Amino acid sequence: MKKSYFIFFFFFLFLFLSITLFSVNPNISQNNSCTLHNDYLKVELFTDGENVGFIKSVKLANFDQSLISNHKFLISGSSLISEIQETSDNSISFISYGHELEVLTKYTLENNNIFISTTIINLSNKTKKSQLVEIIDYSDTFPFFSNTKLMNNHVFLLQQDYGGFGYLPLDKPSFDRIIPGNNMISNISILTLNSNEKVTFNRVIKVEKSIADIEKEYYEMHGIAFQTFGKKIQLNNGKSSQGIRVVLEDKLKKIRSVQIVDENEMALFFIPSNDDYQIKVDFGNLKTESMSLLNSDYIILDVPENYFFYQPLLTNKSENGITVNFRTFIPARAEIEVYLENNPNDILQTYDLIPMEYHHVSLQGLKPGGIYNYTIRVDDTYSNSLESETKSFQIKPYDEEIKSFNFLVYGDTQIYDYLHSYVVNRIINDNSDILNFAFVVKPGDHTEEGSSEKSWSNFFESAYPIGSQVPYYTALGNHERNNELYYRAFELPRGGGDYSKRWYSFNYGNSHFIILDSNILENTSLFQEQVKWLENDLKNNQDSAFIFVAFHHPFWTTATEYGPMDENSPDGHYNTKYWLPLFKEYGVDVVINGHIHAYERYYKDGIMFITTGGGGAKLNTDHSAEPLAWHIKHVLGKLHYINFEVTEDSVKATVIAVAEIINPLFPNEYNEINEIIDEFYIH
């Protein structure tokens, strides 16, 4: 029997635009939120905590990625306390109380629109002046384009890979003021209310396949005349161009609008002026030069061969699912077939119906502890088709059923992809069943240059033999440069910082794992944000038998490769004075680091500190600093990995060296070895 589960994307949304969509009753969930949904959209609102009454996410139906991170509003001089007032088939209302104010907000879902009406009432016996500040945060997303003005009117438009988002006023063509920020915007309205006077603000969120379609609706809404210009997009191989992204530029090469090619292979733009704009294809590695919108009826696009630019790599292992991450050189639709190893006839299929470049496919509804085989098939959307090898993975059992588990750690790899591949293949060859490892923790410096797409492609190629079967949990190193490419590559557990995954945590069996970013400068608000998050996370996981923390820079080292270091002294790296007291107070058991291209171990305050930088990067030769009193061991010149075995009451770590570098000046020359260079227990 073959089962099909569809993840629906905007590629086919135009098919639904002429259909009358129906809503269902709001669903109050147990995760402090309420959902309005129909066949087109799913809108989640907070129903508990400090954000009651605000939008948590706006998603296309059956696609679990939000177009924005959240929407909320503030009223100057008032701290609002909110609760649900009433619900209906397609709406939910909240009532909020502030300082001498009452605020009524109603969200109504109709087709592809979310209507928002907010009424503010002055309950005092005097005139009140304040500001309504609305904030739309999209910092967890990777938008292609955003715009805060349309014909000099203040609006907000956002083009994501999977849909267009528009935030528009209903009662007038323009908001009073919109201030763009760092992946967010603020809409400010000035209020002057006499005693018992009220004012109502009406606005709408529109979702379409493109912001060009939202612009057309805006012009029609406010009676603004416009002309329609179309351009035929043709591929040199004869395939359909439907779904390809096309941009409109002004004379200064600034993007003015974005459209998605329709079923007739046309890109339609709606322009309220007589200016001659430029048009071009800009869709991943499908690109053309700019050309006049008026002087030609079509664009012919040369399409290169498609291939896996990032080989498949797993992340986010849970009791009922896992995420498959990969990137194709040319955007394409894809499907993944999954089946239990012992039941190949019961196939679950998950589809990417939108042509995507970055694919993060969440496979859900799987059996806890089950071993599955999977195959990725990339459609010949615009180029050739692709098919991956069939690989296997094991789903996480329920925590209470995990009596013991193993996980892998290996460190810095950087530009030395040949040695990275060697370490990975040795791990495969040294262990009869790679699925015996629950996951891999890799503490940073995965590439030499985090802004290089080719460097990332090489990383995925080297990691593929393990990463296609065992999920990775990664930390940022200094060589990643905190670049967007890192965040786009990996779907990771939700935490904090950039894209809500700069630092994060997860549980496995009886243990808790924390991944931090040690690169953040201590004199920044982001540093304090991470410290606060760390303490809260530790507080909330005190029932764990073991707590592991991984980050890139170690507190201490004997390394002097580039001269004396702060880490040679007892005070250590600047993170030490902030993090070590928390580690001691909340019972951290093991700290895992990279950065130093050697193996080192320290033991202090009941915590084992391990530095493992032998994943393939050029190895250190100079560790001449005086060892600190709590230094236990260091080993130079050997590529290695660590096998952690966690049981109910102990952790066993085995450090296995797989190669010895012959001459540090020629890091690719080595002797194969199989040597346990350290082994210890933690109870």
Side-chain angles (χ1 to χ4, degrees):
M1 176 182 177
K2 182 174 283 193
K3 299 178 182 177
S4 296
Y5 294 80
F6 292 83
I7 298 179
F8 191 82
F9 296 89
F10 84 81
F11 184 66
F12 286 153
L13 291 182
F14 61 86
L15 296 177
F16 289 87
L17 295 183
S18 62
I19 301 175
T20 301
L21 303 173
F22 59 91
S23 298
V24 299
N25 288 323
N27 177 33
I28 308 295
S29 68
Q30 295 181 349
N31 62 347
N32 303 325
S33 64
C34 167
T35 302
L36 294 171
H37 59 95
N38 58 23
D39 288 351
Y40 195 97
L41 291 178
K42 182 168 65 174
V43 184
E44 196 172 7
L45 299 108
F46 292 101
T47 57
D48 197 7
E50 61 181 13
N51 292 316
V52 172
F54 300 138
I55 294 177
K56 184 177 181 180
S57 64
V58 177
K59 302 176 182 179
L60 301 175
N62 302 320
F63 179 38
D64 195 30
Q65 191 166 347
S66 183
L67 290 157
I68 60 171
S69 303
N70 60 68
H71 163 272
K72 61 184 178 182
F73 60 82
L74 311 170
I75 298 177
S76 61
S78 294
S79 179
L80 299 177
I81 299 175
S82 307
E83 61 184 34
I84 295 176
Q85 185 184 39
E86 63 178 1
T87 63
S88 71
D89 286 350
N90 67 336
S91 68
I92 183 167
S93 299
F94 295 87
I95 186 167
S96 309
Y97 299 96
H99 180 62
E100 299 180 326
L101 290 175
E102 182 178 277
V103 182
L104 305 173
T105 301
K106 183 176 183 178
Y107 300 90
T108 304
L109 179 61
E110 293 183 6
N111 298 333
N112 59 319
N113 302 304
I114 307 157
F115 295 97
I116 308 171
S117 178
T118 300
T119 300
I120 303 171
I121 306 169
N122 179 7
L123 301 179
S124 72
N125 56 8
K126 58 185 178 182
T127 300
K128 291 182 70 71
K129 293 185 177 181
S130 59
Q131 292 182 334
L132 172 68
V133 181
E134 293 192 81
I135 299 171
I136 295 178
D137 181 352
Y138 53 97
S139 60
D140 292 345
T141 71
F142 302 94
F144 175 76
F145 173 68
S146 64
N147 193 12
T148 56
K149 277 194 174 181
L150 197 56
M151 296 184 63
N152 291 319
N153 291 326
H154 295 290
V155 300
F156 178 57
L157 300 171
L158 188 69
Q159 184 68 52
Q160 301 282 10
D161 289 342
Y162 42 91
F165 175 96
Y167 184 68
L168 311 171
L170 281 175
D171 300 327
K172 53 185 178 180
S174 178
F175 290 118
D176 291 345
R177 187 182 181 193
I178 283 187
I179 302 175
N182 184 19
N183 293 321
M184 62 182 291
I185 60 101
S186 300
N187 168 31
I188 300 177
S189 302
I190 309 300
L191 306 176
T192 301
L193 291 175
N194 296 321
S195 176
N196 295 315
E197 187 180 5
K198 65 181 178 180
V199 62
T200 299
F201 295 89
N202 295 309
R203 52 268 195 233
V204 62
I205 291 172
K206 286 184 172 291
V207 176
E208 294 284 1
K209 70 179 187 296
S210 71
I211 61 171
D213 292 335
I214 296 173
E215 290 167 353
K216 178 186 178 186
E217 293 183 29
Y218 172 84
Y219 299 144
E220 292 172 341
M221 188 190 322
H222 295 288
I224 299 171
F226 62 88
Q227 299 180 71
T228 301
F229 295 90
K231 186 76 72 174
K232 185 90 169 179
I233 310 299
Q234 296 178 319
L235 307 187
N236 67 333
N237 56 18
K239 294 181 180 294
S240 171
S241 63
Q242 184 179 7
I244 285 178
R245 184 172 60 220
V246 181
V247 302
L248 191 73
E249 296 179 329
D250 61 19
K251 294 178 180 179
L252 299 177
K253 302 296 184 182
K254 183 178 180 181
I255 296 177
R256 291 300 182 182
S257 188
V258 181
Q259 183 57 284
I260 305 300
V261 177
D262 65 20
E263 68 274 21
N264 297 314
E265 298 189 283
M266 295 293 294
L268 301 177
F269 289 95
F270 314 99
I271 302 175
S273 69
N274 294 319
D275 295 341
D276 182 12
Y277 289 96
Q278 301 289 305
I279 188 174
K280 69 177 183 181
V281 172
D282 190 348
F283 191 33
N285 286 302
L286 293 176
K287 297 180 185 292
T288 63
E289 296 294 324
S290 299
M291 62 185 302
S292 171
L293 178 63
L294 303 178
N295 293 343
S296 175
D297 294 330
Y298 60 88
I299 293 176
I300 297 179
L301 177 62
D302 291 330
V303 181
E305 182 179 358
N306 205 5
Y307 58 93
F308 286 106
F309 190 51
Y310 292 179
Q311 289 288 345
L313 183 140
L314 304 174
T315 57
N316 287 2
K317 182 176 182 174
S318 69
E319 290 90 348
N320 58 13
I322 202 164
T323 300
V324 184
N325 309 268
F326 61 98
R327 182 181 176 187
T328 51
F329 187 70
I330 301 300
R333 295 185 292 270
E335 70 169 294
I336 300 181
E337 284 194 353
V338 187
Y339 57 88
L340 278 167
E341 188 178 52
N342 59 3
N343 190 6
N345 295 320
D346 191 5
I347 297 175
L348 180 151
Q349 293 173 304
T350 300
Y351 295 88
D352 273 0
L353 293 181
I354 176 177
M356 295 283 283
E357 181 182 8
Y358 289 91
H359 298 259
H360 303 287
V361 183
S362 179
L363 305 176
Q364 296 297 314
L366 306 183
K367 179 182 177 182
I371 295 176
Y372 286 84
N373 293 342
Y374 74 99
T375 305
I376 302 169
R377 293 186 176 88
V378 177
D379 184 58
D380 60 344
T381 313
Y382 308 120
S383 185
N384 53 290
S385 61
L386 302 170
E387 183 170 324
S388 73
E389 299 176 279
T390 297
K391 292 288 187 175
S392 302
F393 59 77
Q394 183 169 20
I395 291 299
K396 176 187 175 184
Y398 290 117
D399 283 330
E400 59 271 20
E401 297 177 359
I402 300 174
K403 303 306 179 184
S404 66
F405 66 95
N406 291 63
F407 70 94
L408 278 168
V409 175
Y410 69 95
D412 302 41
T413 46
Q414 294 181 352
I415 200 172
Y416 299 91
D417 305 302
Y418 173 73
L419 294 179
H420 181 193
S421 294
Y422 170 76
V423 171
V424 164
N425 284 306
R426 275 297 303 270
I427 293 171
I428 294 283
N429 294 333
D430 291 352
N431 297 274
S432 58
D433 187 356
I434 196 65
L435 298 188
N436 286 333
F437 293 104
F439 51 86
V440 177
V441 172
K442 195 168 184 304
D445 277 9
H446 318 295
T447 70
E448 177 70 15
E449 178 49 64
S451 62
S452 167
E453 293 186 328
K454 181 59 177 175
S455 185
W456 279 111
S457 180
N458 292 341
F459 165 81
F460 279 89
E461 183 76 30
S462 297
Y464 172 68
I466 294 178
S468 58
Q469 301 180 86
V470 179
Y472 275 52
Y473 292 93
T474 57
L476 278 161
N478 52 296
H479 278 271
E480 276 71 62
R481 320 287 186 202
N482 196 42
N483 192 272
E484 180 183 303
L485 289 176
Y486 168 81
Y487 296 103
R488 296 211 73 166
F490 303 101
E491 192 73 14
L492 295 167
R494 185 173 179 82
D498 297 354
Y499 303 99
S500 295
K501 53 186 175 182
R502 190 165 183 172
W503 57 82
Y504 59 92
S505 66
F506 63 96
N507 294 315
Y508 202 93
N510 60 358
S511 299
H512 184 63
F513 293 82
I514 299 173
I515 309 294
L516 299 176
D517 180 12
S518 59
N519 297 277
I520 303 172
L521 298 178
E522 62 179 317
N523 60 351
T524 63
S525 59
L526 190 65
F527 184 90
Q528 296 303 322
E529 182 183 339
Q530 183 176 219
V531 171
K532 182 179 179 180
W533 177 93
L534 171 62
E535 182 166 17
N536 288 335
D537 189 77
L538 287 167
K539 279 182 181 178
N540 293 330
N541 289 280
Q542 287 298 285
D543 56 348
S544 300
F546 299 102
I547 298 177
F548 298 81
V549 183
F551 50 92
H552 189 58
H553 299 85
F555 287 170
W556 309 286
T557 182
T558 58
T560 50
E561 196 81 8
Y562 304 104
M565 304 170 64
D566 290 343
E567 291 89 333
N568 300 147
S569 70
D571 288 340
H573 190 277
Y574 64 80
N575 285 313
T576 311
K577 64 182 176 182
Y578 301 96
W579 293 357
L580 182 57
L582 296 177
F583 294 172
K584 290 164 58 178
E585 180 179 355
Y586 294 105
V588 169
D589 298 283
V590 181
V591 173
I592 299 167
N593 305 120
H595 191 59
I596 303 301
H597 299 172
Y599 173 76
E600 293 189 285
R601 179 157 65 96
Y602 292 80
Y603 185 74
K604 182 175 175 60
D605 300 319
I607 306 168
M608 196 69 75
F609 296 88
I610 302 161
T611 298
T612 171
K618 184 178 179 181
L619 295 174
N620 288 7
T621 59
D622 189 352
H623 276 234
S624 56
E626 183 69 23
L628 300 171
W630 48 95
H631 171 271
I632 295 175
K633 188 170 190 174
H634 67 259
V635 178
L636 304 184
K638 295 180 179 180
L639 301 177
H640 62 275
Y641 67 92
I642 307 177
N643 178 358
F644 284 91
E645 181 182 355
V646 183
T647 64
E648 293 180 347
D649 57 4
S650 70
V651 176
K652 178 185 178 183
T654 305
V655 186
I656 302 164
V658 296
E660 185 169 22
I661 301 302
I662 299 170
N663 184 338
L665 297 177
F666 302 97
N668 283 338
E669 296 180 6
Y670 59 86
N671 289 325
E672 294 189 21
I673 61 175
N674 184 15
E675 178 185 350
I676 295 177
I677 58 175
D678 199 9
E679 193 168 59
F680 56 90
Y681 287 84
I682 299 166
H683 296 279

